[in-house]
Amino acid sequence: MEADKKGLDTAGHSQDKEVVKKTASGTSTPKEMRAHSGEQKESDSEGFTSGQEKRLKKWFIGSIDQGTTSSRFLIFDGTGNPVASHSHEFQQMYRKSGWHEHDPQEIVDSVATCIEEATKQFVAMGHDVSDIQAIGITNQRETTLVWDWETGEPLHNAIAWPDTRTMGLVRELRGLEGADDLTELCGLPLSTYPSSVKLVWLLRNVEKVKQAYDDGRLAFGTIDTWLLYHLNGKEKRTFVTDSTNASRTMFMNLHNIKYDDKLLKFFGLDRNKLHLPKIVPSSCPDSYGSIGFGPLKGVRVTGCLGDQSAALVGQQGFTPGSAKNTYGTGCFLLYNVGEKPVISKHGLLATVAYDFGRQRKPVYALEGSIAVAGSGVKFIMNNFGFITHSHKISDLAATVEDNGGVVFVTAFSGLFAPYWIDDAKGTIFGITQHTQRGHIARATLEATCFQTKAILDAMEKDSGHKLSELAVDGGMSNSDLCMQTQANIIDIPVNRPAMRETTALGAAIAAGFAVDIWKEFDELKQINQKDRTVFNPDISEKESTKMFRRWSRAVEMCRGWERDEEQEDP
């Protein structure tokens, strides 16, 4: 989703010119702070010294941010500020209900275009390409690609992470012996979400994929692997993935960061027939190769993170107990649990948060994944025609005082964490003759906020700790109305940075660590901390609880809409 009505500049900074008071000092509780909603606060640190800043502004890092609907390339200086960027949208394919695909070559081309255009900006500013020390990659996760190992040609469109064609397959797999043991090994439950079931579907339904597998020519990868394979040049055979992306496939053992034969066997896969990318740390000077063509030819790629892990790094979520929520096409909340994985008992995922190598242990996170966030806004824009641009959602929602009793369960791909309801469909409850477009717009924003509340409740149960503040980023976080609603529903402050390119920044940080721009996490504490905005709850806890209770009732009512015909027959 784009910026709210106050607008964003090209670097993601708020252009709001209102004068706002600083947050009150002290240790006010959320209840005491309700009168201070939407205020800005400075970083607690004094910032970089003049010497540090001068040195760091001479170092530049490129960041490829390959998302669900667009690709981008940004160039950051060593203080974490973006100095050049370019974005390019690509086609979304919905060939059947529940299907969501991308053209693999279009993804590579879109990234190449972004690199070329952003580099032009960079050079026009008086910089030299040689000033760029390294490049990081961050990418949409779980999206599954298959190609011919010998020719490098894709054998099918990429199946995107929200795709639900595997719903029947998932039900079948859940009935197999050993299905209940998978989560303990890989941290993920069986659902339409991970890469594993998408690959199994391709093997069962696409003949040339099955033939390549039988011939030992089938290469499998997520978006990071596909990009690295092509950006390096196919002749170089750079075929790797980082541990954050590998942890989303259901093929990797979360405890030892290696492919697990038990997991592969469960999905009927023979590793002698399937080419799996080598798993390497997220920050590494040697494993990812270098750009093989274009204006940045020869520049090393030294960092790689799945997009949600990158956002946690970009928000400096380096200590256990820190958390961030990214409001993009979907919405993803990560909670740092430290150097040992925590297997959720309440519907969350366990995943690798980041792995910076050099004798450091991998760091893990609990994750709550929401399939529909910004894509819900685009739905009411493209399918209902309520608004002409996605950033107008806040204006429309502000035309009414509340949701008017409307609840929108945006289960276009079923419901992800913590519910994992595959057979739900998008459902709007509470429509009357009083209902206006503004009520539906507000209910669309609230749907993401309610699901975030459900995830936070599950995280509190798993971790035994209640979060004191939620760091946010991503397109929908640009909406003041949405973030105030979020604070009200979760009843804790919501903390938003002025520079919201935290996902791309996280990839840049991983790349910078590998080439010693930074060596310790403490060196990053000043990055992107100035002029953050804090939204504090401004409704009563009783009112918040009532709103969430109505949402929970709607979720229960939307169960079971999508079922096999044989299940519906009497």
Side-chain angles (χ1 to χ4, degrees), residues 361-380:
K361 294 182 179 179
V363 172
Y364 296 89
L366 283 170
E367 176 177 337
S369 308
I370 299 169
V372 175
S375 57
V377 175
K378 289 204 169 185
F379 170 79
I380 67 170

Side-chain angles (χ1 to χ4, degrees), residues 112-132:
T113 297
C114 291
I115 290 174
E116 183 174 347
E117 294 301 320
T119 304
K120 283 181 184 178
Q121 294 176 30
F122 184 70
V123 172
M125 294 173 184
H127 302 295
D128 192 271
V129 168
S130 62
D131 295 334
I132 299 175

Side-chain angles (χ1 to χ4, degrees), residues 404-426:
V406 175
V407 178
F408 189 1
V409 183
T410 51
F412 303 153
S413 301
L415 286 174
F416 286 8
Y419 305 107
W420 300 110
I421 306 173
D422 290 336
D423 57 7
K425 284 291 185 183

